[in-house]
Amino acid sequence: MRNPRRARWLIATMVLGLAACSPRASSPAPEAFTPSAVPVPGASPSAVDCVTRTVAGMSLPERAGQLLMIGTPVGSPLGLGRTVKQLHLGGIFLAGRSTRPAAELKADIATLTKAGTVPPLVALDQEGGSVQTLKGKDFPLLPSAQRLGDGPSDKLRDTVRQSARGLSTIGITLNLAPVADTVPDDLGLANPPIGAFRRQYGSDPKKVAAAMTTVVPAFQDEGVLTVLKHFPGLGRVRANTDVSANVVDAQASATDPYLEPFAAGIEAGSTAVMIASARYPRLDRSTIAAYSKPIITGLLRDKLGFQGMVVSDDLGAADAAAIVAVGERAVRFVAAGGDLTLTIRPEDAEPMAEALIAEAKKSPGFAARVSDAARHVLTAKARAGLLSCS
């Protein structure tokens, strides 16, 4: 989906860290690109009306619950069913790896989906290569993003479509993919979260951007919504936010060419964007991206024009997120402009829900932000066919 209105956004001619890359990356600076100021993706007038009415009819606990995506083991996911119902969860994340048959997974997902008054989004990590939740006879191994990015675009499109069909068939509505991070050639495998696992589509942001314009519609046209990750980029860091509390990209700025793949994915209509938990001092010196209003609201929302659903990276087990108490993590993410808080730990659901509710009761401004975030989540659900109004 492309919006006819194209907002002008000039990229500086300096290529920051690309100047030190290999000859393949030493070409002239990327040309200026113009990401669209897209409206909420997939929001037809009737869907907007349905979302508005649904939010208006929700209690505060119901709205707060919509802002949580909670992990459950993919091998035995039904244990989360009671929590889905009691806390009105907005999403379920299938964690781990599985070779279970499609029929078994479909039955479990259907049971979990029915547990919510408003069905939850059901998500996983099905990128390919080393990051593939579902494998086995019904879910063939996928090439890595790096390998697919080096090949022709039609091969990339067909591979993604086939994978998306398999996911959609069993009830998956949200894939935490594609990776929009660019890893420079001179870093490569020394980039722990992305390059070490060949999760990037390339070392040139223009090449990665082209992949986003192929991957996003290939997934979403088959009924699986996409999440561009990890904004504003993890391709230059030298530590992993899962196991390090101090992951920094000192180069990223508001004119960073490495933002181009995210802009391209937004313009292609991606339903969601995931926020990293690294630090970006040129964008916000005070905190990690997941808790940063300048990054989520200022850069992603206002400058890039994204009005869809903003998802956090894991705020449960990840060391980078643990600078505040569990419940406060959800509050800070939502206050910064985020919508759907992800934690892979089921035990985080209750403290996060309680913290969101308590803060909304104290602060009218935060209560309004909770309603706005719930609107974004419900709009994604409408696009996934999970929300209906009589």
Side-chain angles (χ1 to χ4, degrees):
M1 178 185 72
R2 290 180 180 271
N3 190 288
R5 301 180 338 165
R6 299 173 63 86
R8 184 173 299 276
W9 197 65
L10 182 64
I11 290 285
T13 54
M14 293 183 65
V15 194
L16 302 175
L18 291 178
C21 291
S22 67
R24 193 154 60 106
S26 62
S27 55
E31 297 177 2
F33 62 95
T34 54
S36 297
V38 292
V40 180
S44 66
S46 60
V48 170
D49 179 66
C50 181
V51 168
T52 299
R53 285 190 282 151
T54 303
V55 173
M58 286 180 160
S59 66
L60 175 56
E62 288 172 330
R63 295 180 191 188
Q66 290 301 302
L67 313 191
L68 299 176
M69 174 173 279
I70 305 300
T72 188
V74 64
S76 54
L78 295 182
L80 195 66
R82 179 176 295 182
T83 304
V84 172
K85 182 176 182 179
Q86 292 179 340
L87 298 183
H88 319 287
L89 297 185
I92 297 164
F93 174 69
L94 301 179
R97 299 291 183 265
S98 172
T99 58
R100 297 176 66 199
E104 289 184 11
L105 288 162
K106 183 176 182 178
D108 284 355
I109 290 170
T111 299
L112 283 172
T113 301
K114 293 174 184 176
T117 304
V118 178
L121 293 161
V122 180
L124 43 54
D125 283 317
Q126 197 81 346
E127 298 175 14
S130 299
V131 183
Q132 183 171 338
T133 300
L134 304 183
K135 301 178 182 179
K137 183 184 68 173
D138 294 333
F139 304 97
L141 292 175
L142 299 167
S144 69
Q146 185 180 54
R147 181 177 169 187
L148 286 171
D150 285 340
S153 60
D154 58 347
K155 173 66 173 177
L156 172 59
R157 181 183 61 251
D158 292 346
T159 300
V160 170
R161 281 180 175 171
Q162 182 177 3
S163 175
R165 289 183 191 124
L167 298 179
S168 180
T169 297
I170 64 170
I172 298 296
T173 45
L174 188 69
N175 189 13
L176 304 189
V179 169
D181 306 306
T182 303
V183 179
D185 272 338
D186 64 345
L187 188 55
L189 297 178
N191 170 247
I194 311 299
F197 299 99
R198 297 177 171 84
R199 300 169 68 192
Q200 74 277 21
Y201 284 94
S203 59
D204 176 1
K206 296 190 77 65
K207 181 178 180 179
V208 180
M212 296 302 102
T213 65
T214 299
V215 173
V216 168
F219 265 121
Q220 296 195 150
D221 288 351
E222 298 298 333
V224 178
L225 307 180
T226 57
V227 182
L228 305 170
K229 62 186 189 184
H230 308 76
F231 188 85
L234 287 177
R236 287 185 295 235
V237 302
R238 293 180 177 270
N240 193 327
T241 55
D242 289 340
V243 295
S244 176
N246 190 31
V247 181
V248 179
D249 180 342
Q251 292 179 261
S253 71
T255 58
D256 190 350
Y258 281 28
L259 293 175
E260 183 172 358
F262 293 97
I266 290 169
E267 189 174 355
S270 182
T271 297
V273 173
M274 176 179 284
I275 306 298
S277 293
R279 292 180 179 270
Y280 302 86
R282 294 183 67 182
L283 295 169
D284 187 344
R285 290 184 175 276
S286 65
T287 191
I288 63 174
Y291 305 151
S292 170
K293 189 170 184 177
I295 292 175
I296 299 177
T297 300
L299 180 58
L300 179 59
R301 294 283 197 208
D302 296 342
K303 196 170 184 69
L304 268 67
F306 182 63
Q307 297 302 313
M309 182 173 66
V310 177
V311 184
S312 76
D313 203 346
D314 175 44
L315 296 184
D319 285 1
I323 55 177
V324 293
V326 169
E328 184 67 13
R329 298 173 200 178
V331 170
R332 290 206 181 185
F333 173 65
V334 172
D339 302 314
L340 189 61
T341 306
L342 169 64
T343 173
I344 65 171
R345 303 187 308 190
E347 63 268 27
D348 292 343
E350 189 169 352
M352 284 185 170
E354 290 176 348
L356 289 168
I357 294 167
E359 185 65 21
K361 287 180 177 179
K362 289 191 302 183
S363 167
F366 186 78
R369 177 77 268 278
V370 167
S371 295
D372 182 57
R375 178 178 63 84
H376 285 125
V377 175
L378 290 169
T379 300
K381 291 186 178 187
R383 189 173 187 178
L386 298 175
L387 187 69
S388 61
C389 291
S390 57

